Amino acid sequence: MLTYTPPESRPAAKTREKPWLLMLMAFAWLWPGVFSHGLWNPGEPAVFAAVETLQQGATPLAAEVLGEPAFQISPVYLWAAAAFQNLFSPWAATPYDAARFAGVLFTVIGLTSCGFAGFNFLGRHHGRSVALILIGCFGLLQMAHFMNTLTVGFAALGMILHGFSLAHRRVIAAALLLGGGSALLSLSAGFALPLALLAMALLLPLHPQWRFKRYYLTLLGALSIGLPLLVVYPFLLARLQPALFDLWLNRHIFGSFGGLADFQTAFSLPYYLKNLLWFALPAWPLALWTLMRTRADSQRWSILAVAWILITLTLLAAMPRQFQDYLVWLLPPMALLGAAQLDGLRRGAAAFINWFGIMAFGLAAAFLWVGFFAINYGWPAKLAERAAYFSPYYTPDIDIVPMAVAILFTPLWLLAITRKNIKGRQAVTNWAAGVTLVWALLMTLFLPWLDAAKSYAPVVKQMQAALPADLAQRFSDGRECISVAAHDDRARLAWQQYGSIILHTDADCRYRLVQQPKDSAAPQGWVKLWQGARPRNKTEGFALLERAE
């Protein structure tokens, strides 16, 4: 007897996709660059100094760098970094590496939350596509692997997107994610972005797609949870650190826009649009493709993503500070849009993305392997000469573990790109695999070479090695001192981390460390004893001066 089975009750069709491969790729993408190097500019020295200060007993409510509050550094990141240091340093990781685990944690939260949002909004398999698009975005690489407190904001935005995706079926979970994510976001970006997203959430019911009972209940629950959480930090700061509260309220409550006393704006839209082209690649072309195939107001997820992008772009356009990492605020909605029509991507477009990724990342990987032989074995000679020019402090250093990782990644990538009948999702997977390969090779084969060029350690050691033995002894026992200007943060942070000589801020010393371009003449009344700089840095240099008799 023939029977009819409704579509919704039929078992799901089998798929050849393997979720564990996505988890393996994400794991492989997360860790290269976290280990085995010093503090790199622009942000790592200041963040690590704040972590050290917290470990020494400073208030956990605000970051402190060189004795000054630094509200641009999220306190949540400091708490996580300090916790990882206590757990893993020194037995399993160096203090630098352990502090970077905080960025890994928040990146995992952001990727996972965005993936679940894709699954809830778009359906089966699309959560993986959202995560793959994010992994493939160039802008997320440096942020996720180095000490960057904006990873807290990425995690918070992922939670908020996840909360919106649950509003139609799980009100309590959606309210918790929206409220908690907004509070967490305020501790990373200030109050401007959370309030803008809150206004967006309140305005979404103007469209019929978001006009349903469970969303109203979600909004009510999110406000009931989020608003009290938003005031917890200001309340604690006001009660425990009144002076810091006044500073935060008047100069930092709105993040980069300032505070109540000095709210600032500027026109920065061209800067952010220009940097978005590479920062959000391949998310933005895929998002445009989705908008070309789908009306922006036809689905709940498209309405949300477009509204999110427009509101965030408006904030960035008025941002007084131009800092490319703020573009991470756009990645969750762009990745969601980009994943929506991956299966409908034309075969020619998918083939082009796949071909371009294979060519670009394949050539980059081949160049890195050739470069590895050049910097360590001197062949090819011309390339070895250029490598020495850009990183003259590097000495050949071959470690078996990074070599094994690099050797493993290359054939796995070759295996991934040999699949036939490439469609949209496979093209994005291959792109993410190519990004992972190049990043892994760069952070294994070239890591010591990069560290010698980007770290301040060689510069500090050069200065101390250049000192006569008797002068170094006088510095050590306090008979002589070296002064440094209070505003020379880079010099103070570098010598604090890598030097054994204590610098005295604005002291009346016979010797003075100044920050000036290399080969600059000594100021009148001073004699230059030493000068140094990181390789190929034409604007930043250091000089040790002695007062002329």
PDB file of all heavy atoms in Angstrom, residues 318-339:
ATOM      1  N   ALA A 318      31.495  58.691  11.049  1.00  0.00           N
ATOM      2  CA  ALA A 318      31.654  59.818  11.968  1.00  0.00           C
ATOM      3  C   ALA A 318      32.771  59.612  12.975  1.00  0.00           C
ATOM      4  O   ALA A 318      32.979  60.458  13.845  1.00  0.00           O
ATOM      5  CB  ALA A 318      30.330  60.049  12.712  1.00  0.00           C
ATOM      6  N   MET A 319      33.507  58.502  12.852  1.00  0.00           N
ATOM      7  CA  MET A 319      34.532  58.156  13.837  1.00  0.00           C
ATOM      8  C   MET A 319      35.693  59.159  13.791  1.00  0.00           C
ATOM      9  O   MET A 319      36.271  59.388  12.735  1.00  0.00           O
ATOM     10  CB  MET A 319      35.043  56.747  13.566  1.00  0.00           C
ATOM     11  CG  MET A 319      36.000  56.215  14.616  1.00  0.00           C
ATOM     12  SD  MET A 319      35.149  55.658  16.095  1.00  0.00           S
ATOM     13  CE  MET A 319      34.340  54.180  15.483  1.00  0.00           C
ATOM     14  N   PRO A 320      36.061  59.752  14.935  1.00  0.00           N
ATOM     15  CA  PRO A 320      37.199  60.682  14.922  1.00  0.00           C
ATOM     16  C   PRO A 320      38.545  59.996  14.798  1.00  0.00           C
ATOM     17  O   PRO A 320      39.535  60.628  14.430  1.00  0.00           O
ATOM     18  CB  PRO A 320      37.071  61.402  16.272  1.00  0.00           C
ATOM     19  CG  PRO A 320      36.359  60.431  17.145  1.00  0.00           C
ATOM     20  CD  PRO A 320      35.422  59.682  16.247  1.00  0.00           C
ATOM     21  N   ARG A 321      38.600  58.699  15.094  1.00  0.00           N
ATOM     22  CA  ARG A 321      39.854  57.951  15.007  1.00  0.00           C
ATOM     23  C   ARG A 321      39.796  56.992  13.835  1.00  0.00           C
ATOM     24  O   ARG A 321      38.808  56.272  13.671  1.00  0.00           O
ATOM     25  CB  ARG A 321      40.095  57.169  16.302  1.00  0.00           C
ATOM     26  CG  ARG A 321      41.415  56.406  16.318  1.00  0.00           C
ATOM     27  CD  ARG A 321      41.512  55.500  17.523  1.00  0.00           C
ATOM     28  NE  ARG A 321      42.764  54.745  17.533  1.00  0.00           N
ATOM     29  CZ  ARG A 321      42.983  53.669  18.283  1.00  0.00           C
ATOM     30  NH1 ARG A 321      42.052  53.231  19.105  1.00  0.00           N
ATOM     31  NH2 ARG A 321      44.141  53.040  18.220  1.00  0.00           N
ATOM     32  N   GLN A 322      40.828  56.964  13.033  1.00  0.00           N
ATOM     33  CA  GLN A 322      40.899  56.055  11.902  1.00  0.00           C
ATOM     34  C   GLN A 322      41.746  54.848  12.278  1.00  0.00           C
ATOM     35  O   GLN A 322      42.969  54.929  12.359  1.00  0.00           O
ATOM     36  CB  GLN A 322      41.484  56.780  10.677  1.00  0.00           C
ATOM     37  CG  GLN A 322      40.598  57.897  10.167  1.00  0.00           C
ATOM     38  CD  GLN A 322      41.131  58.560   8.920  1.00  0.00           C
ATOM     39  OE1 GLN A 322      42.273  58.335   8.516  1.00  0.00           O
ATOM     40  NE2 GLN A 322      40.313  59.394   8.294  1.00  0.00           N
ATOM     41  N   PHE A 323      41.070  53.747  12.520  1.00  0.00           N
ATOM     42  CA  PHE A 323      41.728  52.513  12.953  1.00  0.00           C
ATOM     43  C   PHE A 323      41.041  51.353  12.263  1.00  0.00           C
ATOM     44  O   PHE A 323      39.871  51.069  12.513  1.00  0.00           O
ATOM     45  CB  PHE A 323      41.646  52.387  14.474  1.00  0.00           C
ATOM     46  CG  PHE A 323      42.388  51.213  15.045  1.00  0.00           C
ATOM     47  CD1 PHE A 323      43.659  50.874  14.603  1.00  0.00           C
ATOM     48  CD2 PHE A 323      41.818  50.437  16.042  1.00  0.00           C
ATOM     49  CE1 PHE A 323      44.346  49.795  15.130  1.00  0.00           C
ATOM     50  CE2 PHE A 323      42.497  49.354  16.599  1.00  0.00           C
ATOM     51  CZ  PHE A 323      43.760  49.039  16.132  1.00  0.00           C
ATOM     52  N   GLN A 324      41.749  50.672  11.371  1.00  0.00           N
ATOM     53  CA  GLN A 324      41.136  49.683  10.496  1.00  0.00           C
ATOM     54  C   GLN A 324      40.494  48.529  11.247  1.00  0.00           C
ATOM     55  O   GLN A 324      39.529  47.923  10.762  1.00  0.00           O
ATOM     56  CB  GLN A 324      42.181  49.144   9.515  1.00  0.00           C
ATOM     57  CG  GLN A 324      43.327  48.420  10.185  1.00  0.00           C
ATOM     58  CD  GLN A 324      44.481  48.126   9.250  1.00  0.00           C
ATOM     59  OE1 GLN A 324      44.661  48.803   8.248  1.00  0.00           O
ATOM     60  NE2 GLN A 324      45.262  47.115   9.578  1.00  0.00           N
ATOM     61  N   ASP A 325      40.967  48.187  12.430  1.00  0.00           N
ATOM     62  CA  ASP A 325      40.406  47.038  13.150  1.00  0.00           C
ATOM     63  C   ASP A 325      38.956  47.245  13.566  1.00  0.00           C
ATOM     64  O   ASP A 325      38.263  46.270  13.873  1.00  0.00           O
ATOM     65  CB  ASP A 325      41.260  46.718  14.378  1.00  0.00           C
ATOM     66  CG  ASP A 325      42.565  46.028  14.008  1.00  0.00           C
ATOM     67  OD1 ASP A 325      42.777  45.784  12.812  1.00  0.00           O
ATOM     68  OD2 ASP A 325      43.376  45.738  14.912  1.00  0.00           O
ATOM     69  N   TYR A 326      38.479  48.498  13.578  1.00  0.00           N
ATOM     70  CA  TYR A 326      37.069  48.720  13.882  1.00  0.00           C
ATOM     71  C   TYR A 326      36.151  48.114  12.819  1.00  0.00           C
ATOM     72  O   TYR A 326      34.955  47.916  13.058  1.00  0.00           O
ATOM     73  CB  TYR A 326      36.765  50.218  13.999  1.00  0.00           C
ATOM     74  CG  TYR A 326      37.339  50.873  15.234  1.00  0.00           C
ATOM     75  CD1 TYR A 326      37.833  52.168  15.195  1.00  0.00           C
ATOM     76  CD2 TYR A 326      37.383  50.198  16.444  1.00  0.00           C
ATOM     77  CE1 TYR A 326      38.366  52.778  16.317  1.00  0.00           C
ATOM     78  CE2 TYR A 326      37.913  50.794  17.576  1.00  0.00           C
ATOM     79  CZ  TYR A 326      38.403  52.084  17.509  1.00  0.00           C
ATOM     80  OH  TYR A 326      38.932  52.669  18.634  1.00  0.00           O
ATOM     81  N   LEU A 327      36.691  47.799  11.663  1.00  0.00           N
ATOM     82  CA  LEU A 327      35.889  47.171  10.618  1.00  0.00           C
ATOM     83  C   LEU A 327      35.417  45.780  11.001  1.00  0.00           C
ATOM     84  O   LEU A 327      34.544  45.215  10.326  1.00  0.00           O
ATOM     85  CB  LEU A 327      36.695  47.108   9.318  1.00  0.00           C
ATOM     86  CG  LEU A 327      36.928  48.451   8.619  1.00  0.00           C
ATOM     87  CD1 LEU A 327      37.971  48.314   7.522  1.00  0.00           C
ATOM     88  CD2 LEU A 327      35.625  48.994   8.046  1.00  0.00           C
ATOM     89  N   VAL A 328      35.956  45.220  12.080  1.00  0.00           N
ATOM     90  CA  VAL A 328      35.482  43.915  12.544  1.00  0.00           C
ATOM     91  C   VAL A 328      34.012  43.981  12.934  1.00  0.00           C
ATOM     92  O   VAL A 328      33.313  42.957  12.930  1.00  0.00           O
ATOM     93  CB  VAL A 328      36.338  43.417  13.728  1.00  0.00           C
ATOM     94  CG1 VAL A 328      36.041  44.172  15.001  1.00  0.00           C
ATOM     95  CG2 VAL A 328      36.157  41.921  13.951  1.00  0.00           C
ATOM     96  N   TRP A 329      33.514  45.162  13.241  1.00  0.00           N
ATOM     97  CA  TRP A 329      32.103  45.323  13.587  1.00  0.00           C
ATOM     98  C   TRP A 329      31.186  44.968  12.414  1.00  0.00           C
ATOM     99  O   TRP A 329      30.014  44.645  12.612  1.00  0.00           O
ATOM    100  CB  TRP A 329      31.816  46.758  14.024  1.00  0.00           C
ATOM    101  CG  TRP A 329      32.598  47.218  15.219  1.00  0.00           C
ATOM    102  CD1 TRP A 329      33.267  46.433  16.105  1.00  0.00           C
ATOM    103  CD2 TRP A 329      32.782  48.561  15.652  1.00  0.00           C
ATOM    104  NE1 TRP A 329      33.872  47.202  17.069  1.00  0.00           N
ATOM    105  CE2 TRP A 329      33.594  48.519  16.824  1.00  0.00           C
ATOM    106  CE3 TRP A 329      32.365  49.796  15.187  1.00  0.00           C
ATOM    107  CZ2 TRP A 329      33.974  49.666  17.512  1.00  0.00           C
ATOM    108  CZ3 TRP A 329      32.735  50.948  15.880  1.00  0.00           C
ATOM    109  CH2 TRP A 329      33.535  50.877  17.030  1.00  0.00           C
ATOM    110  N   LEU A 330      31.721  45.019  11.197  1.00  0.00           N
ATOM    111  CA  LEU A 330      30.920  44.724  10.015  1.00  0.00           C
ATOM    112  C   LEU A 330      30.984  43.257   9.593  1.00  0.00           C
ATOM    113  O   LEU A 330      30.179  42.812   8.778  1.00  0.00           O
ATOM    114  CB  LEU A 330      31.390  45.586   8.834  1.00  0.00           C
ATOM    115  CG  LEU A 330      31.108  47.082   8.927  1.00  0.00           C
ATOM    116  CD1 LEU A 330      31.879  47.828   7.837  1.00  0.00           C
ATOM    117  CD2 LEU A 330      29.620  47.367   8.800  1.00  0.00           C
ATOM    118  N   LEU A 331      31.941  42.508  10.116  1.00  0.00           N
ATOM    119  CA  LEU A 331      32.142  41.142   9.623  1.00  0.00           C
ATOM    120  C   LEU A 331      30.968  40.205   9.913  1.00  0.00           C
ATOM    121  O   LEU A 331      30.585  39.426   9.020  1.00  0.00           O
ATOM    122  CB  LEU A 331      33.434  40.568  10.196  1.00  0.00           C
ATOM    123  CG  LEU A 331      34.742  41.165   9.663  1.00  0.00           C
ATOM    124  CD1 LEU A 331      35.941  40.378  10.193  1.00  0.00           C
ATOM    125  CD2 LEU A 331      34.763  41.180   8.143  1.00  0.00           C
ATOM    126  N   PRO A 332      30.366  40.166  11.120  1.00  0.00           N
ATOM    127  CA  PRO A 332      29.268  39.205  11.342  1.00  0.00           C
ATOM    128  C   PRO A 332      28.101  39.364  10.374  1.00  0.00           C
ATOM    129  O   PRO A 332      27.683  38.367   9.762  1.00  0.00           O
ATOM    130  CB  PRO A 332      28.866  39.466  12.805  1.00  0.00           C
ATOM    131  CG  PRO A 332      30.128  39.980  13.442  1.00  0.00           C
ATOM    132  CD  PRO A 332      30.776  40.818  12.394  1.00  0.00           C
ATOM    133  N   PRO A 333      27.542  40.578  10.181  1.00  0.00           N
ATOM    134  CA  PRO A 333      26.418  40.653   9.231  1.00  0.00           C
ATOM    135  C   PRO A 333      26.837  40.400   7.788  1.00  0.00           C
ATOM    136  O   PRO A 333      26.066  39.833   7.010  1.00  0.00           O
ATOM    137  CB  PRO A 333      25.898  42.090   9.414  1.00  0.00           C
ATOM    138  CG  PRO A 333      27.055  42.858   9.958  1.00  0.00           C
ATOM    139  CD  PRO A 333      27.796  41.889  10.824  1.00  0.00           C
ATOM    140  N   MET A 334      28.051  40.801   7.409  1.00  0.00           N
ATOM    141  CA  MET A 334      28.507  40.550   6.037  1.00  0.00           C
ATOM    142  C   MET A 334      28.697  39.058   5.784  1.00  0.00           C
ATOM    143  O   MET A 334      28.364  38.547   4.710  1.00  0.00           O
ATOM    144  CB  MET A 334      29.810  41.300   5.766  1.00  0.00           C
ATOM    145  CG  MET A 334      29.626  42.771   5.478  1.00  0.00           C
ATOM    146  SD  MET A 334      31.130  43.537   4.871  1.00  0.00           S
ATOM    147  CE  MET A 334      30.500  45.162   4.417  1.00  0.00           C
ATOM    148  N   ALA A 335      29.254  38.351   6.762  1.00  0.00           N
ATOM    149  CA  ALA A 335      29.428  36.900   6.603  1.00  0.00           C
ATOM    150  C   ALA A 335      28.075  36.206   6.518  1.00  0.00           C
ATOM    151  O   ALA A 335      27.908  35.246   5.745  1.00  0.00           O
ATOM    152  CB  ALA A 335      30.247  36.342   7.766  1.00  0.00           C
ATOM    153  N   LEU A 336      27.108  36.672   7.298  1.00  0.00           N
ATOM    154  CA  LEU A 336      25.759  36.087   7.226  1.00  0.00           C
ATOM    155  C   LEU A 336      25.146  36.300   5.849  1.00  0.00           C
ATOM    156  O   LEU A 336      24.603  35.363   5.248  1.00  0.00           O
ATOM    157  CB  LEU A 336      24.874  36.721   8.305  1.00  0.00           C
ATOM    158  CG  LEU A 336      23.416  36.244   8.358  1.00  0.00           C
ATOM    159  CD1 LEU A 336      23.357  34.789   8.772  1.00  0.00           C
ATOM    160  CD2 LEU A 336      22.603  37.110   9.312  1.00  0.00           C
ATOM    161  N   LEU A 337      25.240  37.531   5.337  1.00  0.00           N
ATOM    162  CA  LEU A 337      24.733  37.798   3.993  1.00  0.00           C
ATOM    163  C   LEU A 337      25.478  36.967   2.947  1.00  0.00           C
ATOM    164  O   LEU A 337      24.879  36.421   2.018  1.00  0.00           O
ATOM    165  CB  LEU A 337      24.884  39.283   3.661  1.00  0.00           C
ATOM    166  CG  LEU A 337      23.789  40.248   4.098  1.00  0.00           C
ATOM    167  CD1 LEU A 337      24.141  41.663   3.681  1.00  0.00           C
ATOM    168  CD2 LEU A 337      22.438  39.852   3.520  1.00  0.00           C
ATOM    169  N   GLY A 338      26.806  36.898   3.093  1.00  0.00           N
ATOM    170  CA  GLY A 338      27.604  36.180   2.112  1.00  0.00           C
ATOM    171  C   GLY A 338      27.285  34.702   2.042  1.00  0.00           C
ATOM    172  O   GLY A 338      27.370  34.082   0.969  1.00  0.00           O
ATOM    173  N   ALA A 339      26.917  34.114   3.181  1.00  0.00           N
ATOM    174  CA  ALA A 339      26.625  32.681   3.214  1.00  0.00           C
ATOM    175  C   ALA A 339      25.254  32.342   2.647  1.00  0.00           C
ATOM    176  O   ALA A 339      25.003  31.198   2.244  1.00  0.00           O
ATOM    177  CB  ALA A 339      26.724  32.162   4.648  1.00  0.00           C
TER     178      ALA A 339
END
